[in-house]
DNA sequence: GTTAGTGCAAACCTTTTGCAGCTCT
DNA sequence: AGAGCTGCAAAAGGTTTGCACTAAC
């Protein structure tokens, strides 16, 4: 179980395994991935109502600095918050549908190849790598085409030029 | 000149080319890249002291939505702000040294290969792609090794366990 | 003359900090 | 016992919004 190795690593470094940290580690490890600080906080609060949001931030920061979690933005699909996932998996890219928000993961040799080329090309020591791709998933491509067409009809009917308007996208706190 | 094609694209869409937008477009286009909103604002203010920070944000948002600029984070090296660059160049990865902050750009076939694989593997329509790599540049690797060694000596001398402490890194507004 | 775009002030969300008190080891 | 952590309140940074006014077409 991945969580044990995390605990081990932290202990080695003289980091105290407090109740709060155990809760957070467990959540990050068990809950698949792509949690942001706020959601992690909400989940942690259920296990310990006293646990403070600040502790979540501090813990995430420590885990990130220690290389135990990776920080993602997922193309800022949901806003400006960051998402976190354990670092134990193989390197992968995140593929985000900009319409439905679904996140896919892509493993594949171009990623390793990219890393190696950067290392040899610049003599660079790669510690973190992050690839995020945004677009439309297979399902949403159809729906999107329909939406665009409807919009076109509307604006043409109103005698407007083809100026499209992007819908407001601020969905932060539900 | 790239800026002319940007203007053309905007005009086609019925976007008004205000004085402010012309200033901002010109700055983004001429000033190489990796400007954040605040720096862009400071530069724009020199050309038009009345120009407001909000206009910068609104313009960047529009350009991003219209696919004319790409948004980067550069691994949050300098904080949580976003950076922008024109989208006319070939796709490339950003390689950020976490010690000195230097940003290199990497062009190379793994990137195109990655994009194609994602498109065919998921039937995904890729609109944006972003690869950011963090680590130490050739120059900083040496210096970093020295720093780590010095830290080790210090903590050993003080009879401490090997718990390293990450230095505070909040350099936002200078 | 319209309607899109601007400036201003004020809000907003996310994240960080200072400090007193608690708790792991 | 004592450094390391936590919680609380308050701040900070970056970005967005509401609204009246201005300017591009």
């Amino acid at each position: 179980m991945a969580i044990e190795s995390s605990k081990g690593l932290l202990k080695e470094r003289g980091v105290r395994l407090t109740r709060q940290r155990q809760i957070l580690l467990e959540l990050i490890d068990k809950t698949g991935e792509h949690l942001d600080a706020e959601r992690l906080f909400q989940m942690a609060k259920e296990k310990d109502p006293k646990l403070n949001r600040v502790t979540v931030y501090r813990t995430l920061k420590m885990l990130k600095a220690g290389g135990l979690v990776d920080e993602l933005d997922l193309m800022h699909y949901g806003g400006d918050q960051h998402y976190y996932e354990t670092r134990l998996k193989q390197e992968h890219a995140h593929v985000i549908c900009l319409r439905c928000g679904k996140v896919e993961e892509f493993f594949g040799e171009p990623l390793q190849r990219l890393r190696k080329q950067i290392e040899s090309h610049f003599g660079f020591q790669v510690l973190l790598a992050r690839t995020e791709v945004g677009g439309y998933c297979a399902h949403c491509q159809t729906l999107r085409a329909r939406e665009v067409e409807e919009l076109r009809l509307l604006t043409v009917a109103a005698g407007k030029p083809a100026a499209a308007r992007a819908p407001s996208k601020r969905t932060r706190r539900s």
Side-chain angles (χ1 to χ4, degrees), chain A:
Chain A
M1 196 147 239
I3 198 166
E4 289 311 324
S5 73
S6 298
K7 287 189 182 176
L9 279 170
L10 292 176
K11 248 178 192 159
E12 275 176 37
R13 301 178 197 181
V15 173
R16 288 188 188 167
L17 280 174
T18 60
R19 185 173 36 78
Q20 293 90 328
R21 283 180 181 163
Q22 306 218 28
I23 292 174
L24 293 173
L25 276 174
E26 192 132 334
L27 285 172
I28 293 170
D29 242 79
K30 285 199 175 164
T31 316
E33 58 237 69
H34 310 150
L35 291 171
D36 62 12
E38 184 62 26
R39 255 190 80 205
L40 183 56
F41 170 55
Q42 295 302 339
M43 296 172 75
K45 239 183 8 185
E46 287 178 21
K47 301 210 172 193
D48 175 358
K50 291 273 198 164
L51 195 149
N52 194 278
R53 185 182 273 104
V54 175
T55 300
V56 176
Y57 280 108
R58 283 196 275 234
T59 302
L60 286 173
K61 195 173 197 175
M62 179 209 73
L63 293 174
K64 185 178 80 167
L68 292 171
V69 301
D70 278 323
E71 192 179 50
L72 318 170
D73 315 292
L74 302 183
M75 280 295 180
H76 306 294
Y77 175 79
D80 284 348
Q81 69 280 60
H82 301 147
Y83 301 87
Y84 298 86
E85 68 178 11
T86 38
R87 216 181 184 214
L88 304 157
K89 307 176 71 170
Q90 203 196 335
E91 185 169 346
H92 56 280
H94 290 97
V95 182
I96 302 102
C97 177
L98 300 175
R99 190 179 168 282
C100 69
K102 191 168 74 175
V103 179
E104 305 259 27
E105 304 193 331
F106 175 81
F107 305 75
E109 30 86 42
L111 289 165
Q112 284 85 64
R113 197 187 285 249
L114 182 70
R115 190 192 193 99
K116 285 209 184 104
Q117 285 196 14
I118 286 172
E119 291 182 331
S120 61
H121 187 58
F122 297 111
F124 198 88
Q125 180 190 2
V126 175
L127 296 175
L128 310 143
R130 165 162 90 183
T131 297
E132 302 188 329
V133 172
Y136 295 118
C137 71
H139 180 242
C140 285
Q141 280 168 47
T142 330
L143 301 168
R144 174 71 187 163
R146 198 172 303 166
E147 286 166 7
V148 170
E149 176 62 11
E150 281 167 11
L151 181 62
R152 198 183 63 74
L153 290 175
L154 274 174
T155 53
V156 166
K160 295 248 188 178
R165 171 150 288 74
S168 169
K169 195 176 68 178
R170 191 169 238 248
T171 321
R172 310 208 173 203
R173 201 166 302 258
S174 55

